[in-house]
Amino acid sequence: MKNDFNFDYIDSNSFIDLLGLRGKRFHKSASLDALIGTAFDFADTIWKSPQLYKFVDHGIDHSFHVLLKAKDIFDKLRPDNSNLSSYESTILGISALIHDIGMQYEKYPKPGEEYTQHQIRKKHIQLGHEMILDTINKNLPDNRGGPGIGLPDHHLSFLYDSALVAFAHSGRLFWDKLGETQYDRFKSAGYYRRLRLLAALIRIGDELHTEHTRIPELNFIKSPLLDDEGLAHWCVCHYVQDIKIVSPGPGSARVKMYWRVPEDVDDVEVQKIRTLLQDLRERKINNEFNMIQPYLVLDENTEPCMLEFNLESEPEKNPAVSKLPPEISDYIMAKLRPYQFGAKETKHTDAINQLQLQPEHEHIRKKAESFVIKSHGVKSGHFRLKTGWHTDRMVNCRELCSDIIFINDLCAILSKHYTEFNITDILAIGTSAIGIASNLALMLNANILFTFESVIEQKDNNDKYTEYERGIPELNNSRLLIIDDILGVGSVLNKIISLLRNRTNPPNFIHAFCLFSLGEKNSQIELPTDVKVDYLAAFPDVIYLKENPSTKTCAICNQLPEFIRYEE
C-alpha cells in the first residue's frame, strides 16, 4: 500500500483518502465521505485538550495509524485483490476514530460517577461505549457536555455497527457481542457487513501502532500515573523506532519491528530492552493474532492467513534515547525473565542452569521460545505421563527439531560450549534429540548413541526391560553428554543416570543438555553432585502433579471432565 500522507497534519481528508471513499454513497441516501467527516469532527472535538495525556497517545493521530496499519494488514492478507465493501470501509474508519474515546471520560463523566485516571484507563472500552450510546440517544450533549454527532436517525446504523467493532478492540466483552455470523450481507444491496473481520483488523492495527511517536515527551517516564506495568508498556513504545509490514507471499504478512537503544548502552541493557520488546510486544501480537486469525478472511473459501513477527537482530543506537529506568530493569529481571541476567535461579537445583549465550546468539533462544509461545507444538489440557506424573501442558519438539537451520545454529553454539569437556560419547534420548546429537557428535568428533523408552520383555520378577537398559552399550571411561528435548521433573534423566552409574564400568563424566526446562523442578530432581544440566529456554509455569500408582489419577483428575484428560 502506497502511503502518500502528510503525517504532520491529519484531518478528515486523510481518513477519506485512505479508505477510498471520496465521492462514494450508500443507498443513494448517505454520502460516505461526509459520514467519515462527521465522525472525524466528533472525535476531534472529544480529543481537544486531551485528558490522560501522560499515557501513550490515544488521540486522532493514533486513530489514523491504527487505520493505516489495519488497511496495510488487510491489503497483505487479502486474496485475489478482494476489497472491503464501501459500507465496511466506512465502519472501519468510524471505528478507528472512536475506539479510544473512553480515555476522555474525565471530560464527559456521568453525573455522580467518579473514576481515578487508572480506572478510566482500564475501563476505557466500557466507558467509550457508554459515551457512544448516550450520543445515539442524544443524552451526551444534554447531560454530559459532549459534542453530539449530528447524524440523521436513518444513518445511525453506521454508528451502532462502528461501536460494536470499535469497542471489541481489546478483551472479550464486545468481541463476544459481535456474534458468530461472519458473512452477513445487506441483501438488498449485496454489501458485505463482516463485523468480526473489521474488529480483527482494528485489534491488530491497534497492537501494531507501537512506535516512539506515541510518547509525547521523554520526561513523562517519571509520571506518577505510571505503575511498573504501565511504565513497561510506555518503554516498549519508547524503544520502537518503526514497524513495517511486508508480504512474503499470498495470504501472509510479516511484521518487522525496528528498535533503538541509548548510544552508550552496554550489552546487558540491550538484552533487557530486547526482552521487553519480545515479551510485551511479540508475545502480545502473536497471542492477539492467534485469537483473531479465523476472522481475517473474506469468505468461507479463503485460506487461513499467516502473520510472522520479526524483531530486527540489531538495534539502532540513538543519543536521544534514554536508558531503562531502574524499576523497569527490576521488572524485567523479576517478572519477564527471572532466570536471566545473572539473577540467582532460586527455583532450580544448583546443578541445573540456563545455557549462557553471547548477545549475537540470543536468536537461538528466541526461536525456541517463539516455538512455544506461538503454540506450534504446545497442547493445553490435562496429561497423564508415562513417568507417573500429570501435567497441564505438553510440548512436542519434533517440528522444532526438524528445522535444519535451527539444528545447525544450535549445534555450532553447543560445540563451542562443550569443547572444554572433551566429550567422547553423545547419547540422544528419544527421536526428537537425534538430530541435535548427531550434528553435535560430528562437530565434537564423538560417538553417537540413542535410546528411548519401550518395553521389550518381562523380567523374572515381573518388572519390564526397557530400551533404556538394553539400548545403551557399556561406556567404560566415557565422557558422556546426554541430549534430551524436555526437562520436566527429571524422571527420565534420573533413571538413565542411575542406570549408567550402577553399571560395572560407569562413565567417568556425565553432563546433559535439554532444549526446554518446564515447570518447577527443585523439589523433584535429585542429581549426583558431579552431574550438571544445561537448558536453552525455561517455562516455569507448567504444573506437575504426582500420580497415585494404584488409581492412576492425580489430585485434580476427578475434578476434570473426561474430554480434557489425555494419555501421553
Side-chain angles (χ1 to χ4, degrees), residues 416-480:
K416 293 179 181 179
H417 181 74
Y418 291 114
T419 294
E420 65 178 288
F421 298 108
N422 299 316
I423 300 298
T424 61
D425 298 273
I426 298 179
L427 173 65
I429 301 179
T431 54
S432 292
I434 291 176
I436 298 173
S438 299
N439 273 25
L440 190 56
L442 287 173
M443 295 179 183
L444 294 177
N445 194 27
N447 299 315
I448 173 66
L449 315 165
F450 71 90
T451 187
F452 53 92
E453 185 172 36
S454 176
V455 175
I456 54 177
E457 63 179 83
Q458 289 293 124
K459 293 182 180 180
D460 293 338
N461 61 358
N462 289 327
D463 287 339
K464 297 175 181 178
Y465 288 108
T466 70
E467 287 290 347
Y468 291 146
E469 296 167 272
R470 289 288 182 87
I472 305 175
E474 291 295 326
L475 295 170
N476 187 26
N477 297 321
S478 171
R479 296 184 64 80
L480 180 68

Side-chain angles (χ1 to χ4, degrees), residues 245-293:
I245 305 166
V246 299
S247 179
S252 61
R254 179 176 294 144
V255 176
K256 301 184 71 173
M257 179 177 283
Y258 300 87
W259 51 304
R260 56 192 201 152
V261 297
E263 191 171 41
D264 57 346
V265 70
D266 59 29
D267 290 342
V268 173
E269 185 151 335
V270 169
Q271 184 55 29
K272 287 179 183 178
I273 295 171
R274 186 195 303 272
T275 293
L276 189 70
L277 298 180
Q278 287 175 341
D279 279 69
L280 295 186
R281 277 294 84 195
E282 179 176 9
R283 182 164 54 183
K284 184 70 167 66
I285 289 171
N286 286 327
N287 289 347
E288 187 71 29
F289 185 73
N290 289 337
M291 173 183 170
I292 65 177
Q293 183 187 31

Side-chain angles (χ1 to χ4, degrees), residues 19-30:
L19 293 164
L21 293 176
R22 182 75 61 191
K24 297 287 182 69
R25 303 187 71 81
F26 182 75
H27 277 298
K28 298 183 180 180
S29 62

Side-chain angles (χ1 to χ4, degrees), residues 98-353:
I98 67 174
H99 78 284
D100 274 336
I101 61 170
M103 292 285 287
Q104 292 290 78
Y105 184 83
E106 199 171 26
K107 287 172 63 177
Y108 306 105
K110 278 189 174 180
E113 281 191 0
E114 290 187 7
Y115 295 108
T116 67
Q117 292 177 320
H118 275 296
Q119 288 172 327
I120 292 173
R121 173 71 181 85
K122 292 183 180 297
K123 291 172 62 71
H124 76 282
I125 293 171
Q126 297 96 312
L127 297 176
H129 188 251
E130 287 180 15
M131 291 170 67
I132 291 297
L133 289 183
D134 280 349
T135 299
I136 292 172
N137 296 324
K138 298 183 170 57
N139 291 330
L140 187 58
D142 297 334
N143 297 342
R144 300 170 66 183
I149 198 165
L151 287 178
D153 291 345
H154 60 286
H155 290 167
L156 288 178
S157 64
F158 288 90
L159 197 54
Y160 278 112
D161 279 356
S162 297
L164 284 173
V165 170
F167 300 113
H169 77 270
S170 182
R172 299 283 326 198
L173 178 62
F174 290 96
W175 178 262
D176 292 337
K177 288 180 183 294
L178 287 171
E180 295 299 329
T181 302
Q182 172 72 351
Y183 305 104
D184 190 13
R185 289 175 180 264
F186 283 106
K187 294 182 181 178
S188 60
Y191 274 84
Y192 276 117
R193 177 179 169 269
R194 296 160 296 190
L195 300 187
R196 276 278 178 91
L197 168 64
L198 303 180
L201 291 171
I202 291 292
R203 288 183 78 115
I204 197 67
D206 193 40
E207 290 299 335
L208 291 175
H209 187 212
T210 312
E211 294 96 321
H212 67 96
T213 52
R214 291 191 70 185
I215 307 297
E217 292 183 26
L218 288 180
N219 61 8
F220 286 173
I221 202 167
K222 300 175 182 177
S223 169
L225 281 176
L226 299 175
D227 57 15
D228 287 352
E229 185 177 0
L231 183 54
H233 284 276
W234 189 100
C235 286
V236 165
C237 288
H238 177 58
Y239 294 114
V240 174
Q241 180 68 32
D242 191 19
I243 290 180
K244 296 186 185 298
I245 305 166
V246 299
S247 179
S252 61
R254 179 176 294 144
V255 176
K256 301 184 71 173
M257 179 177 283
Y258 300 87
W259 51 304
R260 56 192 201 152
V261 297
E263 191 171 41
D264 57 346
V265 70
D266 59 29
D267 290 342
V268 173
E269 185 151 335
V270 169
Q271 184 55 29
K272 287 179 183 178
I273 295 171
R274 186 195 303 272
T275 293
L276 189 70
L277 298 180
Q278 287 175 341
D279 279 69
L280 295 186
R281 277 294 84 195
E282 179 176 9
R283 182 164 54 183
K284 184 70 167 66
I285 289 171
N286 286 327
N287 289 347
E288 187 71 29
F289 185 73
N290 289 337
M291 173 183 170
I292 65 177
Q293 183 187 31
Y295 305 99
L296 286 172
V297 294
L298 298 180
D299 57 48
E300 296 92 334
N301 299 317
T302 304
E303 291 290 328
C305 57
M306 300 298 294
L307 182 140
E308 176 186 336
F309 181 95
N310 294 103
L311 181 67
E312 283 295 292
S313 57
E314 294 299 325
E316 171 192 302
K317 292 193 174 181
N318 189 321
V321 178
S322 57
K323 290 188 176 181
L324 275 169
E327 56 267 43
I328 294 306
S329 183
D330 294 343
Y331 177 89
I332 293 169
M333 294 174 68
K335 294 187 178 181
L336 297 186
R337 299 283 178 86
Y339 306 126
Q340 283 188 244
F341 311 113
K344 184 179 180 181
E345 300 189 23
T346 57
K347 297 182 180 180
H348 293 184
T349 174
D350 290 340
I352 303 171
N353 295 283

